[in-house]
Amino acid sequence: MKRMSLKLKLTLIYTFFMMLVTCVALGILFSLSNKEVLSSKRMQLQKHVQESMEDIGSDAGKLKVDSDFYNLEDNIYLSLYGTNGDFLYGRVPYGFDKQPDFQDGRLRTITENSSEWFVFDLEYYAEDYGPVYIRGITSVTRAEEGFLITLRFAMIILPLLVILTAIIGYRFTRRTLKPVRLITETVRKIQADEDLSRRVDLGDGKDEIYHLANTFDQLLEQLEKAFGREKQFTSDVSHELRTPITVILTQCDALLTDPTLTSSQRAQLELIERKAQNMAQMISQLLLLSRADQGRQKLTLECLNISELMEMTAEEQQLLAHEKQITIHQEIEPDIWYNVDETFFIRMLTNLFSNAVSYGKQGGNIYARLSVQNNFITGSIEDDGIGISKDVLPHIWERFYRADTSRTDSGHSGLGLSMTKWIVEAHGGTITAESELGKGSTFTFLLPLK
Ligand code: ADP
């Protein structure tokens, strides 16, 4: 299941608690007010019955009742009975057909036809006439009705309120979390483009998230400066080392022409020269990569026959391959033209070929292929050498990464593939590696046809 976003989680929690609090508050409110309504109805009934005594009088043995007694006030029905239970005067509500016993001064709740009634009786002694019962009746159900209408209304309003709260809550949370989204987007862009110059740039807000974004921007600033210093350092060091290495190489060359050298002196000098050449190669790779990092490494593009460039590089590498009895097979489509920087393109191919030879097996084969497929120029160098294990494969493009650290003497610095990758990408292409340990590797580059 897809993980819920923070926005949704906050909105749901917020809405749930809002609903819970509202329901509990309404529940308490309704139950209290229901009790209050009923108790005031009871008091009203008792009061009416007691006050109605004033409406009853007698004259010459006959009962005289004021017309107020008959009037319906506050939904309270008053009626008058003789002690034997005979109805004398007044009104009884429709639907109340029972004639319960008279209980002087006691308020009862009587249920009839699923309706509830409050009944209150009071014995009254009318002069000249004798005792009578005054009965007051009022409907409990009717008293509760108004209250039930409010309850029903609340049941309709509540879900609407919940939906409204959820919508407002969601929009509010989204607005509040917008800076977090911007921070994430900035980090993603930095990762994708490796561009530390990006900033979240939220401006001057007052809340914690604005502070977080500003702190994050300050951190990026420091990181950018630190990386900048590191790049500058690498670039300066490589630059400074170029001259002494060139001097060493020139001196070696000059010394090697001396015919008086003993064979052991010559061997030692040749070793120095080889090592100096390795160093010179490493320095030139470092310089290229540091310039590339600083965005200072430019390509000089020319439309060239890259089929010929690949054939030429393959021929050059054939000499080296012979030492290991490796055969280079060329399956190169002729006359493929592309806008390339000649020097860099050859460096890229040379690196792939020299790796294939270095890590190829004695007496093995290398296949160099170049063709146009769909909208791409596809080039590949395949060998049947030692191969690369699955866990190592993602790291081979990293600087100074070497799977086999024992080959330090052969000019392997671990910079070759980083440089190769940069060159292919600077030409707008991509490069990938497929490999199986013990079986061989294939490096494939794609260049888009414009
Ligand atoms: P290096 O100078 O060490 O060859 P690279 O950057 O060219 O550096 O290559 C990085 C690592 O990738 C090498 O050390 C090696 O382990 C591995 N590698 C590169 N090409 C091949 C290949 N054709 N076969 C097997 N391993 C290879």
Side-chain angles (χ1 to χ4, degrees), residues 309-356:
L309 290 183
M310 196 166 187
E311 281 162 7
M312 196 181 77
T313 322
E315 294 306 329
E316 269 172 24
Q317 294 296 314
Q318 190 66 66
L319 287 172
L320 208 71
H322 265 314
E323 290 173 16
K324 283 176 88 173
Q325 282 97 46
I326 291 176
T327 319
I328 300 181
H329 305 269
Q330 297 184 30
E331 295 171 12
I332 299 170
E333 239 178 62
D335 293 328
I336 299 178
W337 294 75
Y338 201 71
N339 262 341
V340 290
D341 180 306
E342 188 175 4
T343 319
F344 284 139
F345 198 73
I346 292 175
R347 272 176 95 168
M348 182 272 284
L349 288 174
T350 308
N351 188 63
L352 290 179
F353 273 117
S354 79
N355 276 352

Side-chain angles (χ1 to χ4, degrees), residues 351 355 359 383 387-388 396 401-403 412-414 416-417 441 443:
N351 188 63
N355 276 352
Y359 304 107
D383 65 67
I388 307 163
I396 57 172
Y401 184 87
R402 278 177 296 132
H412 290 279
S413 58
L417 284 181
S441 317
F443 287 81

Side-chain angles (χ1 to χ4, degrees), residues 281 285 351-360 381-383 385-388 392 395-405 407 410-420 435 440-443:
Q281 193 196 354
Q285 287 174 340
N351 188 63
L352 290 179
F353 273 117
S354 79
N355 276 352
V357 173
S358 299
Y359 304 107
I381 313 277
E382 182 187 335
D383 65 67
I386 60 167
I388 307 163
V392 164
H395 302 288
I396 57 172
W397 310 102
E398 292 166 15
R399 287 174 200 185
F400 294 108
Y401 184 87
R402 278 177 296 132
D404 185 0
T405 42
R407 293 169 191 255
S410 49
H412 290 279
S413 58
L415 284 173
L417 284 181
S418 314
M419 184 194 69
T420 301
S435 189
S441 317
T442 309
F443 287 81

Side-chain angles (χ1 to χ4, degrees), residues 30 42 52 91 180 199 202 217 241 282 284 306 308 311 317 320 349 393:
F30 278 129
R42 271 193 218 102
S52 73
R91 296 168 73 164
V180 177
R199 298 289 176 269
L202 275 189
D217 276 350
L241 284 176
M282 194 167 118
S284 102
I306 59 168
E308 275 179 10
E311 281 162 7
Q317 294 296 314
L320 208 71
L349 288 174
L393 200 57

